[in-house]
Amino acid sequence: MKILHTSDWHVGKVLKGQSRAEEHKQVLAQVIEIARVERPDLVIVAGDLYDTAAPTPEATRLVTRALTALRRTGADVVAIGGNHDNGAALDALRPWAEAAGITLRGSVRENPAEHVIDGTTRDGERWQVAALPFLSQRYAVRAVEMYELTPAEANQTYADHLGRVLARLAEGFTEPDRVHLVTAHLTVVGASTGGGERDAHTVLGYAVPATVFPGNAHYVALGHLHRSQRVIGPCPVRYSGSPLAVDFGEQENIGSVTIVEVTATTAAQIREVPVPGAVPLRTVRGTLAQLAEIDVPEGWLRVYVREQPRAGLREEVQELLPRALEIRIDPELVPGPGSGTRTAQRAGRSPRELFADYLGSRGHADDDVRELFDELLEEVEH
C-alpha cells in the first residue's frame, strides 16, 4: 500500500499581523496535486489542522475542502486533532466527515475501538491504523482510566500513560497479513523541534521515548514537530513536518509531505516530496545604511537592526523593507546584565532624572523620547 503522511497545516496562521491564508491555499492545493499524482491508498493528517482552537469560517472552509479533495483522489483519509486544534469541535464535524468518507478523530473517546480504523487498498492489502489525537497530561490520566487499565499511580509519568494507551490501541497488531500503522500528535525524546512549536507541549513532561510505540508497527506517522525527520525507534517512526514554515524560527525548514510504500511482509520505503508553495521566511541584519544597499530577498522578512534604539526607527526600516513583518534591535547590541551606566539612586531624584538614567542604561539616547516623557509627566502632574 501507499501512504501520504502530512501534518501541522496550521490553517488560520497569522504571522506578525500578516494572514497566511493565500499561502495555505497554494500549499494545500499542491498537497492535493501530489495525492493525485501519487495515488496513495491512505492519507494521514497527523494533527494541528488549524493554528487556533477557534478557527475562522474561512479556515474551517479551507480545511474541510482540502480533506474532501484528498478523499476524492480515491484515498482513504484519516485525520486526528493536535494541540492547536479544538478536539471537541473536530468531533462535532464527524457526521460531515463520515458522510464524506473521512475518518476524523478530534479527541480521545471512551471506546478505544473508535481509535482503531480498518481498511483495504484497491489491490486488496489490508491495513489498520491506531489513531491517537493529542492528549494533555490531565486527559492522558483520564484515557487510562476510561480504558480500564490499571489505576494511574502518582509516580507515573505522561510517557507511562501514553505508552499504556498506545499498547491498548495496538492490541490487534497481531495478524501477519495486515499492515499495522500508528498516528499520533506528540513529542518524541531526541527529535528536533522545527522552531515554531508551542513550547509547553514539547518540553518537560510532554516528551516521550520512542519505546512507547509497538515494535510490530510497520510505520508510525507523527505530527507536532514541524521539521521533517526520522526518529530512531523500535519500528519506522517519522515526522512529516509542516508543509510550510509557520514562524521565522522555521525558515530553514523545507516544506514537504512523506510518501510511504509498504506491505504486510516488506519494510516501509520512505521518501519526501517537497511542497514549495509558501512564501519564504528570511532574516536580514545590518545598519540602516547596509539595509538600504542589500539585495532584498524574496519573502517575508525578520530584520535585526544594528542601530541604537530611537523613536521612528521601525518606520525607517519599514520604508526600506516593506515586507518586513518583524523588526528588532540586533540582540548583540542589547546591553546585558551589569552593563550600562551606574544604577540610579531613587532617593532625591526627580522622575525625569530617573527616566534619563534608565534610557542611558538601556542604550537609548533619544531627545524625542525624553521630551515625550516630559509631556506625559506634565499631563499626569497637572
Side-chain angles (χ1 to χ4, degrees), residues 18 43 71 91 132 155 258 270 307 332 334 359 366 372:
Q18 174 64 47
V43 173
R71 176 69 180 124
D91 285 334
L132 182 66
N155 63 346
T258 299
I270 299 168
E307 302 272 353
E332 295 178 4
V334 177
L359 289 178
D366 193 320
L372 178 59

Side-chain angles (χ1 to χ4, degrees), residues 172-252:
F173 284 14
T174 55
E175 299 181 41
D177 61 343
R178 179 180 288 182
V179 176
H180 304 303
L181 307 166
V182 175
T183 184
H185 193 88
L186 45 75
T187 302
V188 177
V189 174
S192 301
T193 58
E197 300 88 351
R198 188 172 288 170
D199 286 344
H201 293 150
T202 56
V203 296
L204 301 176
Y206 275 96
V208 305
T211 52
V212 298
F213 303 116
N216 57 350
H218 289 83
Y219 181 73
V220 176
L222 296 181
H224 190 33
L225 300 189
H226 296 173
R227 180 174 297 164
S228 175
Q229 61 193 291
R230 172 176 173 257
V231 179
I232 303 299
C235 56
V237 181
R238 188 172 184 85
Y239 287 96
S240 68
S242 175
L244 81 170
V246 174
D247 211 333
F248 284 106
E250 304 178 9
Q251 63 184 29
E252 302 302 325

Side-chain angles (χ1 to χ4, degrees), residues 63-326:
V63 166
T64 53
R65 286 179 175 175
L67 293 174
T68 300
L70 288 168
R71 176 69 180 124
R72 285 176 178 166
T73 66
D76 286 300
V77 177
V78 174
I80 61 173
N83 61 306
H84 280 253
D85 297 316
N86 183 325
L90 285 180
D91 285 334
L93 291 174
R94 282 182 59 173
W96 160 80
E98 289 167 4
I102 297 163
T103 301
L104 190 59
R105 296 293 181 265
S107 56
V108 174
R109 314 293 288 184
E110 292 186 9
N111 181 3
E114 289 196 50
H115 296 279
V116 181
I117 299 102
D118 297 312
T120 304
T121 71
R122 308 173 186 90
D123 297 329
E125 187 81 59
R126 298 168 63 228
W127 54 265
Q128 186 175 77
V129 180
L132 182 66
F134 173 75
L135 273 176
S136 68
Q137 291 184 333
R138 179 161 57 101
Y139 280 92
V141 174
R142 288 186 58 184
V144 168
E145 293 170 349
M146 281 194 304
Y147 293 173
E148 298 179 351
L149 303 174
T150 56
E153 299 175 7
N155 63 346
Q156 288 184 317
T157 66
Y158 177 78
D160 293 328
H161 301 320
L162 246 66
R164 294 162 77 196
V165 171
L166 284 166
R168 176 69 177 85
L169 299 182
E171 284 179 352
F173 284 14
T174 55
E175 299 181 41
D177 61 343
R178 179 180 288 182
V179 176
H180 304 303
L181 307 166
V182 175
T183 184
H185 193 88
L186 45 75
T187 302
V188 177
V189 174
S192 301
T193 58
E197 300 88 351
R198 188 172 288 170
D199 286 344
H201 293 150
T202 56
V203 296
L204 301 176
Y206 275 96
V208 305
T211 52
V212 298
F213 303 116
N216 57 350
H218 289 83
Y219 181 73
V220 176
L222 296 181
H224 190 33
L225 300 189
H226 296 173
R227 180 174 297 164
S228 175
Q229 61 193 291
R230 172 176 173 257
V231 179
I232 303 299
C235 56
V237 181
R238 188 172 184 85
Y239 287 96
S240 68
S242 175
L244 81 170
V246 174
D247 211 333
F248 284 106
E250 304 178 9
Q251 63 184 29
E252 302 302 325
N253 296 353
I254 299 174
S256 65
V257 298
T258 299
I259 300 294
V260 183
E261 296 183 70
V262 64
T263 73
T265 57
T266 59
Q269 301 296 313
I270 299 168
R271 55 189 167 91
E272 293 182 35
V273 179
V275 181
V279 176
L281 304 182
R282 311 290 190 197
T283 298
V284 296
R285 288 178 163 85
T287 64
L288 280 176
Q290 290 169 334
L291 295 174
E293 297 296 326
I294 65 170
D295 185 9
V296 180
E298 176 192 0
W300 303 121
L301 302 181
R302 173 173 61 182
V303 183
Y304 287 128
V305 192
R306 289 178 172 161
E307 302 272 353
Q308 292 300 323
R310 65 173 185 274
L313 180 59
R314 171 179 290 274
E315 288 73 16
E316 292 179 58
V317 174
Q318 196 79 57
E319 186 174 347
L320 287 173
L321 303 171
R323 292 179 70 82
L325 300 184
E326 183 176 331

